[in-house]
Amino acid sequence: PTPLRSDWLDALAGSLVSQALDVPLPWTYRGRVRAGTDAALVEVMAVLADDAVGELAPGTPQPPLVAAVDVELAALGIVLPSQVRIDLLDPAQRP
């Protein structure tokens, strides 16, 4: 009834990778990310491991989703960076 982390990762892989993979998806095994892993998935794993740093150059075009997320966060009074605890099973906390 509730998507697991691997479900979200599988959805990301299906969305970001457009060709066949020569190696297994990184979250299906333990250890270092294997050589030959799609670059987008390497970055996904780096972000999840909190190893990704940096920011886009000023003026870099961003997809509309970025602005939409900013609007939603502002409407909820969430200022980044911050820590927010939510219970997704509580309908009142879902927004």
Side-chain angles (χ1 to χ4, degrees), residues 87 89-95:
D87 178 1
L89 299 177
D90 179 356
Q93 292 187 27
R94 285 194 179 183

Side-chain angles (χ1 to χ4, degrees), residues 32-74:
R32 305 188 112 206
V33 175
R34 296 181 185 174
T37 301
D38 185 273
L41 298 180
V42 171
E43 290 303 315
V44 166
M45 296 308 292
V47 168
L48 291 175
D50 202 23
D51 288 340
V53 294
E55 57 187 54
L56 296 173
T60 301
Q62 297 182 357
L65 178 61
V66 174
V69 168
D70 287 340
V71 169
E72 291 293 327
L73 290 173

Side-chain angles (χ1 to χ4, degrees), residues 74-89:
L76 294 168
I78 299 172
V79 178
L80 296 179
S82 66
Q83 291 185 357
V84 179
R85 286 199 174 274
I86 58 172
D87 178 1
L88 293 177
L89 299 177

